[in-house]
Amino acid sequence: MENFKNKIIHGNCLEILKQIPDNTINLVLTDPPYLYKNLDGGGCSQLTKSITKSFKDLNGLKNGVSLNFCKEIIRLQDKVNCYIWCSKDQIIDYLNFFVLEHNCSYDILTWYKSNAIPTFNNKYLTDKEYCLYFRKGGYCQPNNYQDAKTLFIEPINIRDKRKFNHPTIKPLKIFETLIKNSSKKGDLILDCFSGSGTTAVACYNLQRNFICIEKEYDYWKTSIERLNTEKSQLKLL
């Protein structure tokens, strides 16, 4: 367990999660590869198809949700306290698992992209992403009215995408708000799909412990460099 704490681990999350003891994680905050349906229509990009394939590579897939991944979340938490970013197509399946099967309460948080790409031919703008919050006794205590809002209005962080070479990077500000709302200093936060390392950086900034896991080597390497840079900068303050 101590070998994993405050590290970004390169590996398959389903294999690594099995090595973490029951009821040891205070908060899960993670951004799995999204599943998009109808890939042959609607002008889906090669990136979208690639991300979808990455999600399908997970074991125990049922209707777009990795049941093995979800079961591990339940096992690892005494009190369910979990944020999962997902596509619109996955919302119902996550609700079925956490709400219907495991009796969790839930909220649907939304990141509204104030500078969304203006493509709307035969469809609505792709101007939002969803984050599902599932809780069963878990800690949730926003400090103020602004932090308690379920709508985050932030631009697409194009500079971070280029800097950290990750196509679906989320704003650090949003992750820090979620972590402050649902954990305390010294708590242990888990991110099973850590990508560019946003969760690790947010936890370090907020004095939380973390376990982050990333399968893709290039993303893992970049996230290590990002975290080390953040540590060095904070030491200079």
Side-chain angles (χ1 to χ4, degrees):
M1 179 65 176
E2 291 301 319
N3 293 334
F4 294 153
K5 189 177 289 187
N6 295 325
K7 293 181 180 179
I8 304 176
I9 304 160
H10 178 227
N12 185 307
C13 73
L14 293 178
E15 296 174 359
I16 294 169
L17 291 179
K18 294 176 183 177
Q19 303 176 50
I20 301 176
D22 295 358
N23 305 328
T24 53
I25 302 298
N26 300 110
L27 173 66
V28 174
L29 170 55
T30 195
D31 185 12
Y34 293 178
L35 175 75
Y36 292 92
K37 299 177 182 177
N38 303 318
L39 290 183
D40 295 326
C44 287
S45 66
Q46 287 302 118
L47 171 61
T48 296
K49 294 179 181 180
S50 175
I51 292 172
T52 298
K53 182 183 181 300
S54 296
F55 197 93
K56 287 184 176 180
D57 286 342
L58 290 171
N59 296 325
L61 192 72
K62 179 182 178 184
N63 297 326
V65 171
S66 172
L67 296 185
N68 287 350
F69 156 62
C70 294
K71 289 175 182 176
E72 286 297 302
I73 290 176
I74 297 295
R75 178 184 69 80
L76 291 171
Q77 296 194 291
D78 178 42
K79 298 178 180 179
V80 178
N81 201 29
C82 174
Y83 292 96
I84 303 177
W85 290 84
C86 69
S87 69
K88 179 183 67 176
D89 293 329
Q90 295 168 298
I91 291 176
I92 292 176
D93 300 307
Y94 277 120
L95 291 177
N96 284 340
F97 180 85
F98 284 99
V99 178
L100 295 185
E101 295 185 28
H102 291 277
N103 199 32
C104 296
S105 61
Y106 74 96
D107 281 290
I108 301 179
L109 313 181
T110 304
W111 169 25
Y112 170 70
K113 303 173 183 179
S114 55
N115 60 340
I117 298 172
T119 54
F120 47 86
N121 183 32
N122 199 34
K123 71 179 187 68
Y124 286 102
L125 280 174
T126 305
D127 59 358
K128 55 187 174 297
E129 291 191 41
Y130 303 98
C131 181
L132 305 182
Y133 176 44
F134 298 108
R135 181 162 65 121
K136 190 175 182 181
Y139 178 83
C140 182
Q141 193 64 47
N143 289 323
N144 54 60
Y145 180 82
Q146 187 65 32
D147 286 352
K149 290 183 178 180
T150 58
L151 177 65
F152 299 96
I153 302 175
E154 294 287 335
I156 299 172
N157 38 340
I158 298 173
R159 185 175 65 176
D160 283 349
K161 285 186 177 185
R162 293 171 179 167
K163 183 177 180 180
F164 302 117
N165 193 32
H166 197 285
T168 63
I169 189 171
K170 302 298 186 293
L172 177 63
K173 181 180 178 181
I174 295 178
F175 271 46
E176 288 183 337
T177 298
L178 299 179
I179 289 171
K180 286 189 296 183
N181 286 349
S182 295
S183 70
K184 303 173 184 178
K185 289 183 180 180
D187 278 354
L188 182 57
I189 318 299
L190 171 68
D191 187 347
C192 317
F193 306 91
S194 66
S196 61
T198 304
T199 298
V201 171
C203 286
Y204 183 80
N205 291 343
L206 297 170
Q207 300 177 42
R208 270 68 166 175
N209 296 302
F210 62 86
I211 298 175
C212 290
I213 308 167
E214 176 51 46
K215 180 180 179 181
E216 300 298 327
Y217 177 80
D218 288 344
Y219 296 156
W220 170 78
K221 182 180 178 182
T222 299
S223 66
I224 293 291
E225 295 170 353
R226 180 186 182 187
L227 179 61
N228 287 336
T229 299
E230 186 73 17
K231 289 180 178 180
S232 297
Q233 290 176 342
L234 286 179
K235 287 179 181 178
L236 294 175
L237 297 177

